[in-house]
Amino acid sequence: MTINFGGTHRPIDDAQKNLQFYLLGTREEVQATINQLHALRFSDRVRWSRPMPVSGSDWQYISMMERDHSIGSQPFGSSK
């Protein structure tokens, strides 16, 4: 894969880069989305970081999950 920003090409080694997913919203929205993604078998709940307050905001929270490319096309818990 190659990423092109402003005419410069930068090759990316897919085998070594993990995918990162971020959820941003109220604490309740973030937790509800984590639960929904679990129900859809996208990711296990324990893979998400604990929702953390966003600096400078009195209502926003963020949670992050990192996932390997090799399991990106398979539901969690399934074997290759």
Side-chain angles (χ1 to χ4, degrees):
M1 172 168 54
T2 301
I3 296 179
N4 183 354
F5 291 106
T8 60
H9 296 287
R10 184 177 59 157
I12 302 294
D13 183 0
D14 290 334
Q16 294 183 355
K17 301 293 180 186
N18 288 334
L19 297 170
Q20 293 181 343
F21 298 89
Y22 295 88
L23 298 176
L24 185 66
T26 65
R27 185 179 185 90
E28 293 79 17
E29 291 169 336
V30 169
Q31 191 60 57
T33 303
I34 291 170
N35 292 340
Q36 185 176 19
L37 291 171
H38 176 79
L40 293 171
R41 301 188 56 78
F42 178 78
S43 63
D44 200 354
R45 287 182 191 101
V46 298
R47 300 211 42 180
W48 289 92
S49 67
R50 183 172 289 157
M52 303 282 295
V54 173
S55 180
S57 174
D58 52 348
W59 65 272
Q60 287 186 318
Y61 283 75
I62 189 166
S63 181
M64 192 270 296
M65 185 211 31
E66 195 167 281
R67 186 168 166 168
D68 186 0
H69 276 254
S70 64
I71 62 171
S73 61
Q74 297 180 358
F76 72 92
S78 66
S79 58
K80 290 185 180 182

